[in-house]
Amino acid sequence: MEARITFLLKKSGEEGLTVAEEKELTAFFRDEANRELFNSAAAAWQEEISGDEAVNPVTWEPVLQHILLADKPGNTPVKVVYRKWWQYAAAVMFIVAASGAWFLLQHKSPTTPAVPEVAAGIAPGTNKAVLQLSNGKTIVLSDAQNGVVGQQGNAQVVKTDNGVLAYQRGTAAAGNTVEYNTMITPRGGQFRIVLQDGSTVWLNAASSLKYPVEFNGAERVVELTGEAYFEVAARPGQPFRVKSKGQEVLVLGTHFNINAYPDEAMTATTLLTGRVKVSGAGYTGVLQPGEQIQQQENSHWQLLKNVDTETVMAWKNGYFSFNNANIVTVMRQLARWYDVNVIFETKNTAQAFMGEIPRSVSLEKALEILKFSDIHYVITGRTIKIVD
């Protein structure tokens, strides 16, 4: 078996695989029990090519970062360009195996894409946000010390040791006046908040959440712009509503994600656990776990079943995940996280991308990964030009 896998790995780099051979290799990579055999095959391949040009870590590191998602029915992985790919593959496989990840690489002929000049040092986003209080006062949370940062009504606003904002209800009786706070994450920022009812919200970059300091009414209502993941605390008799771009989501106690950026062509609500009712112009429906409802700008609604929730939740879990996304979609996500502007000076925007990039890497490293997919770019300051 080891000899067979070594043969297939070598053939994939030198001349390409048949359809049957690709299926065989894919099935092998999906089986965790094959990890040791995989390491042995990689080592054997490395020994076989040891007389070739030495492996250059600078060259294969971006390849390592471009670990593709496991193939799924109906998905076509992006074709990736590699320079002398087979010279680096064994070293890449060793690192990938050691890090606990599997990969399957599809590739074109081993040509060398142009290497643009890259400005140094555009760091990824961090935990930062601005809290706007009911009286108009603002608090920059990344600058605030841990502990009580404000008093709103009968609730203390506390920044915890792990960088979470929490509302802790006091002992006094609740008042009749409803006070609202708004958390705003800038481009290049994200933050987590625990509301007064115990519900937790993860807010993605360039987003905002408006919410009452205390939930004293018949319903719990918040307003979202951008993207957020919700873990709603169950309160029988006091439903939770999220109002966002063109829709309203009603919950009793569940986990779900809403992507409702103003600059995106659609709004997507994805349910992980529980049940939610989504309503908007021309649509009302109840989602089951694993379903996603999409609303296009023309108010067309589409219900998707068995969606890849790991891809949806990638941003919360620390990485970008692209599933047949075009370069415009990819760059919108990068622009929000790295706080950069993107200009397209190419009409080649239809190529589909499928893969993952850690959100912890620098912008330059993320773009290096895209470069291996035949994407060319120039960075000037905080502006990226995508060129032919």
Side-chain angles (χ1 to χ4, degrees):
M1 183 63 176
E2 178 182 328
R4 174 63 176 170
I5 296 303
T6 303
F7 165 77
L8 291 176
L9 292 175
K10 180 181 179 182
K11 187 181 178 185
S12 70
E14 294 181 344
E15 58 187 88
L17 301 175
T18 66
V19 173
E21 288 169 338
E22 286 183 353
K23 289 182 178 179
E24 180 182 355
L25 195 57
T26 301
F28 171 82
F29 280 124
R30 281 203 299 258
D31 190 346
E32 181 69 20
N34 288 330
R35 182 173 299 262
E36 290 302 320
L37 183 59
F38 169 79
N39 289 338
S40 298
W45 191 9
Q46 176 66 66
E47 183 177 353
E48 182 177 340
I49 65 172
S50 59
D52 291 340
E53 177 184 332
V55 173
N56 181 357
V58 174
T59 304
W60 56 251
E61 183 177 0
V63 183
L64 168 61
Q65 296 293 346
H66 196 100
I67 300 171
L68 299 181
L69 297 171
D71 62 314
K72 299 175 179 62
N75 288 342
T76 302
V78 61
K79 292 186 176 180
V80 185
V81 178
Y82 297 103
R83 178 172 65 86
K84 298 183 179 179
W85 178 82
W86 53 88
Q87 293 184 356
Y88 311 127
V92 173
M93 284 182 232
F94 174 79
I95 299 297
V96 170
S99 66
W102 291 95
F103 76 104
L104 176 64
L105 296 173
Q106 304 287 337
H107 57 87
K108 300 177 184 176
S109 58
T111 56
T112 305
V115 179
E117 288 190 15
V118 178
I122 298 182
T126 59
N127 288 332
K128 57 185 176 183
V130 172
L131 176 64
Q132 188 174 70
L133 303 179
S134 58
N135 60 6
K137 178 183 176 181
T138 59
I139 300 172
V140 180
L141 295 176
S142 54
D143 296 340
Q145 298 293 322
N146 293 337
V148 178
V149 297
Q151 179 78 32
Q152 292 286 276
N154 190 36
Q156 284 189 327
V157 187
V158 179
K159 182 182 176 184
T160 65
D161 293 340
N162 55 356
V164 177
L165 192 72
Y167 284 74
Q168 299 177 355
R169 189 170 188 174
T171 58
N176 295 323
T177 303
V178 179
E179 297 186 68
Y180 288 88
N181 284 182
T182 303
M183 176 178 282
I184 304 167
T185 53
R187 284 159 47 112
Q190 63 181 13
F191 220 87
R192 179 156 57 108
I193 178 173
V194 179
L195 301 175
Q196 176 266 328
D197 67 338
S199 298
T200 302
V201 184
W202 285 257
L203 207 58
N204 202 352
S207 302
S208 67
L209 184 74
K210 181 179 179 181
Y211 52 91
V213 173
E214 297 181 87
F215 294 106
N216 298 321
E219 296 183 322
R220 296 169 286 169
V221 182
V222 302
E223 298 178 23
L224 170 69
T225 300
E227 183 170 23
Y229 168 67
F230 293 81
E231 292 188 352
V232 176
R235 275 195 179 183
Q238 193 183 35
F240 193 102
R241 294 183 186 271
V242 182
K243 295 182 178 180
S244 60
K245 178 185 170 186
Q247 70 170 21
E248 184 175 289
V249 177
L250 171 64
V251 239
L252 295 176
T254 188
H255 300 174
F256 60 98
N257 190 83
I258 299 177
N259 185 318
Y261 282 108
D263 60 348
E264 294 287 355
M266 70 177 186
T267 298
T269 300
T270 309
L271 181 64
L272 280 75
T273 65
R275 296 176 71 193
V276 298
K277 181 180 179 181
V278 180
S279 57
Y283 177 84
T284 298
V286 176
L287 297 186
Q288 303 296 330
E291 293 183 344
Q292 179 183 91
I293 185 67
Q294 299 177 351
Q295 180 193 18
Q296 306 292 336
E297 287 183 330
N298 59 3
S299 294
H300 172 73
W301 297 81
Q302 182 179 12
L303 178 64
L304 304 179
K305 297 179 179 291
N306 300 317
V307 300
D308 184 356
T309 56
E310 289 188 5
T311 297
V312 174
M313 297 311 307
W315 71 269
K316 172 184 171 288
N317 297 325
Y319 60 97
F320 300 99
S321 183
F322 304 117
N323 190 344
N324 290 332
N326 62 36
I327 187 61
V328 176
T329 300
V330 170
M331 294 310 299
R332 270 202 300 265
Q333 291 194 36
L334 295 184
R336 284 193 285 260
W337 185 236
Y338 293 97
D339 188 16
V340 294
N341 299 313
V342 180
I343 299 173
F344 288 90
E345 295 186 351
T346 177
K347 295 181 180 179
N348 182 25
T349 59
Q351 181 180 6
F353 290 82
M354 185 174 178
E356 299 174 1
I357 302 175
R359 279 163 64 104
S360 58
V361 302
S362 67
L363 172 66
E364 292 74 22
K365 188 67 67 178
L367 292 175
E368 281 288 306
I369 296 169
L370 293 179
K371 181 190 70 177
F372 279 86
S373 298
D374 238 357
I375 296 302
H376 307 285
Y377 57 88
V378 176
I379 301 180
T380 304
R382 301 193 74 88
T383 297
I384 306 169
K385 291 183 180 180
I386 306 298
V387 298
D388 290 324

